[in-house]
Amino acid sequence: MSEKTILVWFRNDLRIHDNEILLEAARKADKVLPVYCFDPYYFRTNPSGNTKTGSLRARFLLESVADLRKSLQNIGGDLLIRIGNPAGILPQLAEEYQINEVYHHREVAHEETDISEEVETALWKLKLNLKHFIGHTLYHKEDLPFPIKDIPDSFAIFKKKIERDSTVRPCIATPEVIQTPLITNAGKLPTLRELGLDEPLDDPRAGGQFSGGESAALNQLEQFFLNGDLFASGKGARTPSINSVSSKLSPWIALGCISLRHVYWEVTKQHQATHSNQYNSLLLDLLWRDYFRFMFKKHGQKFIAAKNNNEGTALPADDDDTLFESWKNGETGVPLIDAVMHELNATGYINNYGRQIVADYLVHDLKVDWTKGAAYFEEKLVDYSPASNWGNWAFIAGVNDARESRYAIATKPPTDLVSNNDFIDTWLPQVS
C-alpha cells in the first residue's frame, strides 16, 4: 500500500499550537508537506502608488514564517517556502511529491477567498481535494446558537447571545512529531528586497519593535500577564501612549502566530487565579474579531459595500486627495490626530483608541472617502487583518449594522484634548 501524503498550506495560521490542519494531517497521513507561498499579489503596488503590504508588516511576516519553519524542524519536519501564485505552485508541488490531499484554513474576505478558489480549481484538475478547516475564530461556527445566515447584525445582540448560549472549544493538541517526505529544495526565505520592499527604519521613539513568530507571541502573552504590558515597562519600553494599557497581541493574532482560543483559555486561567476582571477588554476584542469575520461570512463584500454616509457632501477629487494626503502624513494641524498618524507611519502600530479617532476625523471632519483610510491602514498596520480592518472602518463610516451596537463611540472623539501632552510631545515634538 502506497503512503498517504497531505500538503498543509499555511497562510494566516503560522503556528504549530492549536492548529487543526497540522494535527489532522499528522494523524491522517504517513507524511506531511508544510508549505508557505509568498504570493506577489500581496506585495504589488496599488494604483495610488502605495504598496499593498508595507515593509514593517512584511518584515514581521518574514520573521513569523522563519519561526514557523524552526518550530516544524524542532518536531522533525520542515517548511517548504516558495515565491509565486499558490494556484500555480501548489499543483506543481502536489505532482512532485505525490500529494493525496491539501489542507488549509478557510478565509472570509474576498481577496483571500478568491485565491482559495483559484487553488481549488487548479487542484481539482489533478483530481485533488482542497479540504477547508475553520481555525481563525474564537467560537467555532458549528457551536453558534444560530446559522450563519441568521447571525444578528448588531454586535450587542451578537455578544449577548454568544456569551449566553455558546462555549469556546478547548485548544487542539500540538503534534509531537511531523514526518515529511524527502524535500529536495526547501527554499530560502526571501529578503524584503526580493519582495520589492525597502528595509524599514526603526524609530527610536517606539522604544522597540514587534518580532514576528509563534515564539514571540507566546512570550508576549506571558509577559502581559506578568507586567501588564511588555512594551510598557522594562526593556523596550514604549513611549507614552493614549489609552496605553494593551496586550498588543494583535500583530501575532492577525498572522495566526497565536490562536484566539489559546489567548482565551490563558485569560480564563488568569481570571480564576486572580479573580480580576482586568482582562475583560481583551476578551471583548476577541469577540469583535469573531463578529467581523462572521459578518463577512454572512454578507460577503455587501457588509462594507454600502454607500458612504457622507454621500451628498462628497468633495471634488482634488480636494479629497489633498485632505487625504494631509491626514496620512500627519499634517492636518490637529495635534492629537497628527501625533497618532506619525506613530502609525513610524511603527506600524497604533492602539484601538487612536485608530478610532483618526478614522472618525478622516470620515466625519475631512469628509474623505473612508475606503482610502482603510487601504492606507492595510499598507501600514503590522497587525492588518482584512475583516477587522475593513469592518471597523465601515463601522466608523456608518455603512454597516455594527453601528447599532452600544459599544460604539458614544460621542465625537475629543481631538482637541490637552491631556495627551506626553504622547503629542513624543510624536510631534514641535508642538507644545
Side-chain angles (χ1 to χ4, degrees), residues 77-88:
D78 204 346
L79 179 66
L80 199 152
I81 295 174
R82 292 291 186 267
I83 303 175
N85 184 348

Side-chain angles (χ1 to χ4, degrees), residues 174-195:
T174 303
E176 295 182 0
V177 64
I178 292 291
Q179 297 286 343
T180 61
L182 178 62
I183 298 175
T184 55
N185 176 20
K188 293 182 179 180
L189 196 72
T191 65
L192 287 173
R193 293 283 186 181
E194 289 171 332
L195 296 176

Side-chain angles (χ1 to χ4, degrees), residues 14 36 38 43 57-66 255:
L14 306 182
Y36 185 85
F38 285 90
F43 302 95
R57 179 154 61 91
R59 180 176 67 183
F60 188 86
L61 170 62
L62 289 169
E63 293 168 348
S64 299
V65 173
L255 285 182

Side-chain angles (χ1 to χ4, degrees), residues 12-13 15 17-21 104-107 132-141 172 253 256 258-261 290 293:
N12 295 314
D13 46 9
R15 63 182 186 274
H17 293 83
D18 195 32
N19 193 328
E20 186 177 6
I21 60 173
H104 89 132
H105 277 122
R106 187 185 296 275
E107 295 286 352
H132 306 274
F133 290 78
I134 301 167
H136 294 305
T137 53
L138 179 61
Y139 291 91
H140 196 285
K141 78 166 189 175
I172 291 167
I253 288 175
I258 192 169
S259 73
L260 273 65
R261 284 188 303 210
D290 267 21
R293 287 191 68 91

